Amino acid sequence: KPQGGYHWRRMDILSILMDHNAEWDRYPPADAASIEKLIATAGIELPEEYVACLRYSNGGEGELGIVPGWFQLWSAEEVVDLNKEYEVEQNAPGLFAFGSSGGGEWFAFDTRNQKPWKVVMLPFIPMDIKEAIAIADDFIAFILAMGYPFLSV
């Protein structure tokens, strides 16, 4: 099971993302203007690993080795708009959504605690912060699970 934490921060994030053992659909990189706009409009200081991920693959999807078993990362161009459209700030204050399960759940950084922020999963309906479940210790733990099958015990 992938583990997060500061020891992974020393690893080259690109080598994790480029690992061909991790089978997921990678998209073309986000352009610099899209990244700059996202950073300027997000309303939070985005984790550097998340920004690096978008610079490598502007979105993506595939199996996820942790619950719920599938991920879809939103592109740099759509992430802020989708947070507004889904009214994340009003319905789940302290969370910043960055993707979904491709089904009924979305993924977010839980900014209510100190960094590194946990990645949480929440149902779209009902969108209630009390329903948030931590699925990864941080974004590095999340990307280490990308492209690997979920093995339930």
Side-chain angles (χ1 to χ4, degrees), residues 19-67:
D19 179 3
H20 292 292
N21 292 315
E23 297 179 14
W24 55 283
D25 292 336
R26 293 155 172 89
Y27 299 160
D31 62 47
S34 297
I35 295 284
E36 288 172 21
K37 183 177 180 185
L38 172 59
I39 290 169
T41 60
I44 64 168
E45 184 182 338
L46 296 166
E48 63 186 65
E49 299 85 6
Y50 172 66
V51 174
C53 181
L54 292 172
R55 284 189 174 118
Y56 172 73
S57 179
N58 191 18
E61 72 177 290
E63 287 189 281
L64 188 64
I66 53 179
V67 171

Side-chain angles (χ1 to χ4, degrees), residues 1-11 13 16 49 66 116-119 135-145:
K1 184 175 177 181
Q3 297 291 319
Y6 285 105
H7 63 282
W8 288 108
R9 295 194 192 294
R10 292 188 203 112
M11 288 184 66
I13 196 79
I16 297 170
E49 299 85 6
I66 53 179
W117 295 323
K118 291 189 182 305
V119 173
I135 61 169
D137 289 341
D138 56 23
F139 192 68
I140 292 175
F142 185 86
I143 64 170
L144 285 167

